[in-house]
């Protein structure tokens, strides 16, 4: 054992720089993999723990207060799977939050009474103002931090042309309507403010049925039963959500990020495996005579293999532990971003399980592949090894013979050097091919988020006009005509979003006068409705109802119902696929109400704020509210742009570092193996500069082939990857494009970086004297 340890130390000292380079790649892999593992192991339980501590409901059902009754409450409580029911009063209004992160943000708002006693959906006040404020309000974490409303800041809600201004007295965490992914948010008013608002909006009072189900009960099934119960008591359901649906929407970004980090770690791990195999095979070749001597002295093949594998195993253990520790430096910042999106705060502590999984995986994979790579030692015969002969080595073909190959001597020597470096070529090709996958992905993000942001935003969002208007005129056609003639208007569409029921399932209905004129077509199969008896339904509804194109669906709005033929399937990330599309004529079959929402699309260069000012001047009180939707979209887009910029910089930094380490190992191995050859070239008159160019140039054909091939294959695999990623969040149709010019541009940048690094690393040849090279 002592001899093995001494021999392992010898191999480590001889190749310590290359082994440390391998260790740095393992450190990067461990850092990324541990981040993904900690997120996967910690955040989901943190959500569940917070939900349990606040005694959150399994089902929430919102019904009008006028439709609530003691009989309905008793019927819900008597359900076999209902363990607890609490009724919570609120005021439901579609409101515009003014100056939400610099723009206006429209959302369905539930105004709850802060002073009501609660046994379900308890509130955790994480920040409270120490000052006495007028018209206080308590905001959920999402609105306070993302909307930039700190303590003691004013917040204004505009509802049907009336403004209500409050002062932020506290920030709360709750697991009910705590972020915007459900298209509904809850805020909390003290009793006095609540009564004033309830007096103003008596017809908007609702009751939230917060239901805790019995252990083992399926929330989705119980919700379906409770909907039927509400229908029996003629109580329309305005909103209904299960805890699973809420969790899925709030944890969407976290789950996606975990998946991307894990994929990133796997790619870097593949690189480290190929580097490890390359180094061990090189060690066997370079130390062939030494291997023969060791075998002659009685060392077994297994002992020699263990002495070679041991330094790599120890390096993996050390650097994987360092990488896992380093991940906790980045974790707090990452968790803060995820907590903001999820709408609740949580701390991620050290995870021993994540550390063990990360280190075990990296160590096991490295151990297996290093052992396989060193297996060649078993086939070495001592005498042949001492003479430096291995099977097939003396039979190598003389490729690119100088006498027969056309071209300059320098070019032919470069080609000969490339052909003689099979292992280096394979390693470099694999590494650059794999790393270009990351480059191509970041290039795709760069194009679709920064150069052509509409591609990305249209995938995630619904219809996005420049200006959204709520009008009060009984003749919306006249108002529409007036607005369409204003300077800067390109087109004006009657477009409304209302809550309906499709086969007793709650859904957001997108009602438009003509879907052929919209900018963001949400239909991914079939077509949009064009007549009064046609409907397109969302992906989630189609799956739950088992409904497809050609089937019929009954839509209920208020007390009216009508049957429509399904002509298409549509998507909506914001509404989790729980939507439908109806024409205005189709909606008139179930409602006599006049719609009052207009979407305005402006000409290029027109300013939305200026247009709103002109519209309000011309139309006066006919405009109830106006939202600068273009600015809102721009704010969201800027957030994604910032994230993508960070991703691109991180990918390039990791790529450059890994390419630097790989080329360092390759070029150092080439110099070691060809010392005499370089010495002879210097002795016969070749300059150090020429040898540097030859060495770096011999790597370029493989580098160019790997980068360009991987980039071009991105045209095939990138659309498939985007389809998988976006389908996970409900976007069955994405608008992401992969232009070949952008992929080739990023691949070219990688090739240039590879060339510069190769020249830089090969410069060490200049410092070696010819006599020293030949003698050593």
């Amino acid at each position: 054992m002592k001899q093995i340890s001494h021999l392992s130390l010898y191999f480590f000292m001889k190749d310590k720089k290359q082994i440390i380079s391998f260790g740095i790649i393992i450190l990067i892999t461990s850092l990324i993999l541990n981040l993904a593992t900690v997120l996967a192991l910690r955040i989901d339980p943190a959500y569940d723990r917070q939900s349990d501590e606040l005694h959150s409901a399994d089902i929430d059902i919102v019904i009008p207060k006028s439709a609530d009754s003691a009989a309905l409450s008793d019927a819900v409580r008597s359900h076999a799977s209902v363990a607890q029911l609490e009724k919570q009063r609120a005021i439901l209004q579609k409101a515009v939050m003014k100056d939400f992160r610099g723009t206006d943000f429209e959302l369905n708002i539930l105004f709850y009474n802060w002073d009501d006693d609660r046994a379900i959906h308890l509130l955790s006040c994480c920040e409270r103002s120490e000052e006495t404020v007028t018209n206080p309000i308590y905001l959920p974490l999402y609105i306070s931090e993302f909307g930039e409303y700190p303590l003691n800041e004013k917040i204004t809600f505009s509802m049907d042309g009336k403004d209500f201004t409050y002062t932020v007295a506290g920030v709360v965490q709750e697991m009910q309507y705590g972020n915007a992914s459900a298209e509904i948010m809850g805020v909390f008013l003290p009793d006095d403010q609540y009564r004033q608002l309830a007096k103003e909006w008596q017809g908007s009072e609702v009751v939230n049925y917060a239901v805790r189900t019995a252990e083992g009960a399926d929330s989705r099934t119980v919700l379906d039963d409770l909907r039927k119960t509400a229908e029996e008591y003629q109580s329309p359901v305005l909103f209904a959500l299960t805890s699973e649906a809420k969790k899925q929407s709030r944890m969407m970004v976290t789950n996606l990020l975990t998946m991307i980090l894990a994929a990133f770690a796997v790619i870097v791990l593949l690189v480290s495996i190929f580097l490890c195999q390359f180094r061990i095979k090189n060690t066997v070749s370079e130390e062939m005579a030494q291997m023969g001597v060791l075998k002659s002295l009685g060392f077994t093949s297994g002992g020699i293999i263990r002495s070679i594998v041991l330094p790599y195993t120890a390096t993996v253990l050390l650097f994987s532990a360092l990488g896992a520790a380093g991940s906790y430096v980045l974790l707090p910042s990452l968790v803060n971003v995820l907590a903001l999106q999820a709408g609740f705060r949580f701390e991620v502590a050290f995870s021993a399980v994540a550390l063990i999984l990360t280190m075990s995986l990296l160590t096991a994979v490295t151990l297996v592949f290093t052992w396989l790579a060193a297996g060649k030692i078993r086939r070495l015969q001592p005498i042949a090894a001492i003479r430096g002969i291995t099977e097939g080595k003396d039979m190598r073909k003389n490729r690119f013979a100088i006498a027969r190959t056309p071209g300059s001597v320098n070019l032919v020597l470069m080609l000969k050097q490339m052909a003689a470096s099979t292992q280096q070529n394979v390693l470099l090709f694999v590494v650059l091919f794999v790393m270009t996958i990351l480059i191509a992905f970041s290039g795709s993000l760069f194009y679709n988020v920064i150069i052509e942001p509409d591609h990305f935003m249209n995938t995630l969002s619904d219809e996005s006009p420049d200006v959204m208007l709520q009008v009060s005129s009984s003749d919306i056609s006249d108002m529409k005509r007036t607005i369409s003639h204003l300077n800067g208007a390109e087109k004006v569409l009657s477009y409304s979003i209302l809550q309906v029921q499709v086969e007793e399932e709650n859904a957001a209905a997108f009602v438009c006068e003509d879907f052929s004129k919209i900018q963001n077509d949400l239909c991914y199969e079939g077509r949009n409705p064009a007549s009064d008896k046609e409907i397109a339904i969302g992906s989630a509804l189609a799956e739950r109802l088992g409904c497809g194109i050609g089937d019929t669906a009954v839509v209920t709005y208020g007390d009216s119902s009508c049957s429509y033929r399904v002509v298409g399937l549509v998507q909506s990330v914001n509404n989790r696929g729980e939507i439908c599309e109806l024409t205005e004529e189709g909606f008139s079959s179930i409602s006599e109400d006049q719609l009052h929402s207009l979407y305005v699309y402006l000409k290029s260069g027109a300013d939305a704020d200026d247009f709103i000012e002109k519209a309000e001047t011309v139309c006066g009180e006919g405009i109830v509210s106006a939202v600068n939707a273009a600015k809102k979209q721009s704010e969201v887009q800027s957030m994604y742009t910032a994230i993508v910029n960070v991703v691109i910089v991180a990918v390039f930094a990791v790529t450059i570092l890994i390419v630097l380490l790989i080329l360092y190992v390759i070029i150092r191995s080439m110099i070691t193996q060809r010392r005499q050859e370089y010495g002879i070239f210097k002795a016969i008159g070749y300059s150090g500069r020429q040898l540097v160019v030859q060495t770096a140039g011999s790597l370029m054909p493989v580098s160019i082939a790997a980068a360009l091939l991987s980039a071009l294959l991105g045209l095939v695999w990138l659309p498939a990857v985007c389809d998988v990623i976006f389908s996970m969040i409900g976007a069955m149709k994405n608008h992401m494009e992969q232009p070949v010019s952008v992929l080739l541009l990023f691949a070219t940048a990688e090739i240039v970086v590879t060339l510069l690094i190769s020249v830089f690393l090969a410069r060490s040849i200049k410092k070696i004297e010819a006599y020293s090279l030949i003698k050593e």
Side-chain angles (χ1 to χ4, degrees):
M1 186 63 188
K2 185 177 181 180
Q3 291 176 323
I4 297 298
S5 62
H6 285 168
L7 192 56
S8 296
L9 182 61
Y10 163 76
F11 284 125
F12 174 77
M13 296 303 296
K14 181 180 181 299
D15 293 330
K16 60 182 177 182
K17 291 184 179 179
Q18 290 94 327
I19 292 177
I20 291 174
S21 299
F22 166 74
I24 294 174
I25 296 179
I26 288 294
L27 185 147
I28 296 171
T29 308
S30 174
L31 187 150
I32 299 171
L33 186 59
N34 198 70
L35 274 177
T37 307
V38 170
L39 291 178
L41 293 178
R42 290 292 195 190
I43 296 186
D44 199 81
Y47 183 97
D48 293 337
R49 185 166 54 253
Q50 180 85 326
S51 185
D52 290 340
E53 288 175 359
L54 299 179
H55 207 60
S56 299
D58 298 304
I59 298 171
D60 284 296
I61 300 175
V62 178
I63 64 172
K65 181 180 179 181
S66 58
D68 183 36
S69 64
L72 174 60
S73 304
D74 293 339
V76 171
R77 287 192 179 93
S78 64
H79 191 285
S81 296
V82 172
Q84 185 180 3
L85 167 66
E86 181 174 273
K87 298 198 297 184
Q88 300 164 345
R89 56 176 175 164
I91 301 163
L92 175 61
Q93 273 288 315
K94 177 163 284 189
V96 175
M97 285 181 281
K98 297 291 187 178
D99 197 27
F100 184 97
R101 205 176 182 88
T103 186
D104 294 340
F105 189 61
E106 187 178 51
L107 201 64
N108 293 303
I109 302 291
L110 277 167
F111 295 89
Y112 284 100
N113 192 318
W114 173 259
D115 296 315
D116 282 349
D117 293 330
R118 286 183 170 220
I120 300 178
H121 285 312
L122 303 179
L123 304 176
S124 172
C125 191
C126 52
E127 294 179 25
R128 188 188 291 268
S129 176
E130 296 180 357
E131 303 176 13
T132 302
V133 299
T134 56
N135 288 332
I137 190 172
Y138 295 86
L139 299 179
L141 185 69
Y142 181 89
I143 293 180
S144 175
E145 294 200 358
F146 188 66
E148 298 177 347
Y149 299 110
L151 291 179
N152 304 317
E153 185 77 13
K154 301 290 185 182
I155 180 172
T156 299
F157 296 90
S158 180
M159 297 174 281
D160 285 345
K162 297 180 180 180
D163 290 346
F164 298 84
T165 302
Y166 302 97
T167 304
V168 181
V171 179
V172 300
Q173 293 189 91
E174 54 85 41
M175 310 304 287
Q176 186 180 23
Y177 302 115
N179 79 338
S181 58
E183 290 297 299
I184 184 170
M185 292 285 292
V187 299
F188 306 90
L189 297 173
D191 188 65
D192 289 344
Q193 281 69 34
Y194 179 85
R195 290 179 183 276
Q196 292 174 16
L197 192 65
K199 185 178 180 180
E200 185 76 29
W201 303 104
Q202 293 183 7
S204 299
E205 290 183 272
V206 296
V207 176
N208 182 78
Y209 275 51
V211 176
R212 299 269 293 183
T213 59
E215 186 175 352
D218 180 67
S219 298
R220 186 76 242 175
T221 303
V222 177
L223 175 58
D224 291 339
D225 292 343
L226 296 183
R227 276 201 181 115
K228 294 176 182 177
T229 301
E231 183 180 354
E232 291 174 3
Y233 287 87
Q234 298 181 345
S235 298
V237 175
L238 303 177
F239 282 99
L241 283 173
T242 64
S243 57
E244 291 86 356
K246 283 182 287 188
K247 181 179 178 180
Q248 181 181 4
S249 63
R250 293 175 75 154
M251 301 294 288
M252 175 183 66
V253 173
T254 300
N255 294 334
L256 279 177
L257 181 61
T258 302
M259 182 185 68
I260 291 173
L261 286 173
F264 198 176
V266 169
I267 289 175
V268 181
L269 178 60
L270 289 175
V271 171
S272 65
I273 288 171
F274 281 106
L275 174 61
C276 183
Q277 285 194 311
F278 170 79
R279 276 308 311 148
I280 289 181
K281 288 180 179 179
N282 262 14
T283 298
V284 174
S285 299
E286 293 169 6
E287 298 289 328
M288 191 182 308
Q290 181 76 1
M291 302 289 180
V293 171
L294 291 172
K295 280 198 168 186
S296 300
L297 293 175
F299 281 86
T300 63
S301 297
I304 300 173
I305 290 174
R306 284 193 294 274
S307 67
I308 292 177
V309 170
L310 185 59
Y312 288 91
T313 305
T315 300
V316 170
L317 287 171
L318 173 62
F319 281 87
S320 61
L322 292 175
S327 68
Y328 287 96
V329 177
L330 301 177
L331 201 57
S333 299
L334 186 60
V335 165
N336 286 339
V337 175
L338 297 176
L340 176 59
Q341 187 276 332
F344 77 104
R345 286 178 181 167
F346 52 90
E347 294 182 0
V348 178
F350 171 77
S351 173
V353 176
L355 176 64
I356 293 172
L357 288 175
T358 299
M359 293 185 64
S360 299
L361 175 63
L362 295 180
T363 304
V365 170
T366 302
L367 188 60
V368 169
F369 282 94
T370 52
W371 196 276
L372 292 175
K376 182 180 179 181
I377 294 173
R378 299 185 186 278
R379 300 192 296 273
L380 288 179
Q381 297 300 320
I383 299 301
I386 293 172
R387 295 172 60 192
I389 301 174
T390 57
E391 185 178 352
K393 182 177 180 179
D394 54 342
M395 299 297 292
R396 285 180 181 171
K397 185 176 180 180
N398 181 21
R399 301 183 185 278
F400 300 106
I402 296 178
R404 298 190 301 272
T405 305
S408 66
V409 175
N410 288 333
L411 176 62
V412 175
L413 288 174
M414 188 185 300
L415 295 175
K416 285 179 69 68
Q417 189 168 334
M418 180 194 72
S421 307
T422 304
Q423 290 185 21
Q424 289 95 325
N425 290 337
V426 171
L427 173 64
L428 186 59
F429 182 89
V430 170
V431 169
L432 289 180
F433 186 90
V434 171
M435 296 312 296
T436 306
I437 291 176
L438 294 178
I439 295 291
F441 184 73
S442 62
S444 175
L445 286 178
F446 175 80
Y447 177 78
N448 289 286
V449 178
I450 297 176
I451 297 180
E452 294 290 345
D454 287 345
H455 295 169
F456 184 74
M457 297 306 298
N458 286 342
T459 299
L460 296 182
S461 61
D462 302 322
E463 184 66 8
S464 300
D466 295 302
V467 175
M468 300 167 61
L469 299 176
Q470 289 291 327
V471 299
S472 61
S473 174
S474 58
D475 186 2
I476 193 172
S477 300
D478 184 57
M479 181 71 73
K480 177 183 169 186
R481 192 178 307 110
T482 302
I483 293 172
S484 64
H485 284 92
L486 292 177
N487 186 31
E490 181 176 329
K491 63 180 176 180
V492 181
L493 289 179
S494 175
Y495 196 106
S496 299
I497 303 177
L498 307 105
Q499 288 296 316
V500 300
Q501 284 189 327
V502 180
E503 296 289 346
E504 300 181 0
E505 294 280 349
N506 287 334
F510 295 176
V511 181
C512 180
E513 61 177 271
D514 187 350
F515 283 100
S516 66
K517 296 180 180 179
I518 60 176
Q519 287 192 163
N520 186 17
D521 186 3
L522 303 177
C523 185
Y524 65 89
E525 187 176 337
R527 61 177 176 82
N528 299 111
S531 71
D532 61 342
K533 293 301 179 183
E534 293 180 342
I535 188 175
I537 62 174
S539 53
L541 287 180
E543 182 179 350
R544 285 209 296 267
L545 299 174
C547 187
I549 296 175
D551 295 332
T552 58
V554 176
V555 179
T556 303
Y557 181 75
D559 297 327
S560 302
S561 299
C562 186
S563 180
Y564 301 87
R565 185 169 65 90
V566 178
V567 296
L569 302 179
V570 290
Q571 69 180 29
S572 175
V573 175
N574 293 333
N575 292 276
R576 305 172 308 285
E578 298 174 351
I579 65 168
C580 67
E581 288 183 344
L582 290 170
T583 63
E584 278 193 324
E585 293 82 0
F587 183 72
S588 65
S589 300
I590 54 175
S591 174
E592 296 180 355
D593 296 341
Q594 175 74 45
L595 300 179
H596 299 286
S597 178
L598 294 177
Y599 279 17
V600 182
Y601 304 83
L602 303 180
K603 295 177 181 178
S604 178
D607 184 77
D609 283 329
D610 291 342
F611 183 86
I612 290 174
E613 187 176 345
K614 285 186 291 186
E616 290 177 337
T617 300
V618 173
C619 301
E621 295 181 357
I623 295 180
V624 176
S625 68
V627 174
N628 186 341
K631 188 174 182 180
K632 172 185 171 184
Q633 190 85 337
S634 177
E635 286 293 329
V636 175
Q637 179 184 318
S638 65
M639 179 182 67
Y640 287 119
T641 300
I643 294 173
V644 168
N645 285 334
V646 172
V647 170
I648 291 174
V649 171
V651 168
F652 265 106
V654 171
T655 300
I656 291 172
L657 178 59
I658 290 177
V659 170
L660 173 64
L661 295 172
I662 296 297
L663 288 175
Y664 171 78
V665 172
I666 289 176
I667 291 175
R668 187 175 177 85
S669 297
M670 291 173 67
I671 294 174
T672 301
Q673 293 173 356
R674 293 182 172 81
R675 294 182 69 85
Q676 286 188 338
E677 187 178 325
Y678 285 132
I680 293 171
F681 281 136
K682 277 199 170 185
I684 64 177
Y686 277 83
S687 67
R689 180 177 176 276
Q690 287 176 313
L691 295 178
V692 169
V693 172
Q694 281 185 20
T695 303
S698 67
L699 301 174
M700 293 318 297
V702 173
S703 303
I704 294 171
L708 293 182
L709 178 61
S710 183
L712 292 175
L713 287 177
L715 297 173
V716 177
W717 65 262
L718 272 173
V721 169
C722 289
D723 288 343
V724 171
I725 291 176
F726 286 109
S727 65
M728 291 178 64
I729 58 175
M732 315 305 293
K733 167 187 176 182
N734 70 77
H735 301 270
M736 305 287 277
E737 295 181 359
Q738 284 74 40
V740 65
S741 58
V742 173
L743 297 180
L744 292 178
L745 177 64
F746 275 72
T748 302
E750 183 182 20
I751 293 170
V752 171
V753 169
T754 302
L755 175 61
L756 294 176
I757 292 175
S758 300
V759 171
F760 174 77
L761 293 175
R763 288 174 68 252
S764 61
I765 297 173
K766 290 182 176 183
K767 302 176 183 178
I768 307 177
E769 297 294 332
Y771 176 78
S772 175
L773 285 168
I774 296 173
K775 184 178 180 182
E776 292 181 10

